[in-house]
Amino acid sequence: QVQLVESGGGLVQPGGSLRLSCTASGGIFATHAMGWYRQAPGKQRELVARITSFGVTEYGHSVLGRFTISRDNAKKTKYVQMNSLKTEESDVYYCNTDIKTARWDSFISYWGQGTQVTVSS
């Protein structure tokens, strides 16, 4: 059973930093793209950052220059370092990973449960 477990969320003051982690486990043959998304109540889920297995990165426009995504393939873990956080970035952050569980299977997109990030003084 594939699982994605997020950690690192919490309360931070405006201008502060947090690092989120997401680890995949359970019968994984290979991973491809890994990403972080966020969603506020009543709004669509939006891309924060994404990184492929080749290390190609993509960022949401609003986080460019402040957030950095990275991955450790051996640990099946990805991270997003979030700096200069703003109050409007208080959301639930979700990790997403494309995973195949066997050599001949297709990649399937899996989601974590989400971790709350609150930016407030």
Side-chain angles (χ1 to χ4, degrees):
Q1 184 78 13
V2 173
Q3 282 191 318
L4 298 182
V5 178
E6 299 127 331
S7 61
L11 174 64
V12 64
Q13 291 188 339
S17 299
L18 281 177
R19 189 176 84 151
L20 305 182
S21 302
C22 176
T23 299
S25 63
I28 296 169
F29 177 80
T31 61
H32 183 43
M34 294 179 161
W36 287 96
Y37 295 75
R38 63 190 179 192
Q39 186 171 24
K43 293 188 176 181
Q44 283 192 328
R45 196 167 290 187
E46 65 172 2
L47 173 69
V48 174
R50 185 172 176 269
I51 184 169
T52 71
S53 57
F54 304 107
V56 177
T57 57
E58 178 185 2
Y59 292 93
H61 180 73
S62 65
V63 309
L64 279 172
R66 298 185 297 118
F67 290 16
T68 303
I69 189 169
S70 60
R71 61 188 288 165
D72 183 331
N73 290 330
K75 295 181 179 179
K76 298 184 178 65
T77 298
K78 63 179 177 285
Y79 311 91
V80 62
Q81 177 66 41
M82 307 187 295
N83 298 328
S84 302
L85 282 160
K86 305 174 182 179
T87 55
E88 58 265 34
E89 294 179 310
S90 297
D91 287 323
V92 179
Y93 285 68
Y94 297 89
C95 73
N96 170 263
T97 304
D98 295 337
I99 294 171
K100 63 161 65 176
T101 55
R103 178 184 291 274
W104 308 113
D105 283 349
S106 300
F107 283 99
I108 296 174
S109 185
Y110 289 86
W111 291 90
Q113 296 277 14
T115 184
Q116 177 70 47
V117 171
T118 302
V119 185
S120 175
S121 54

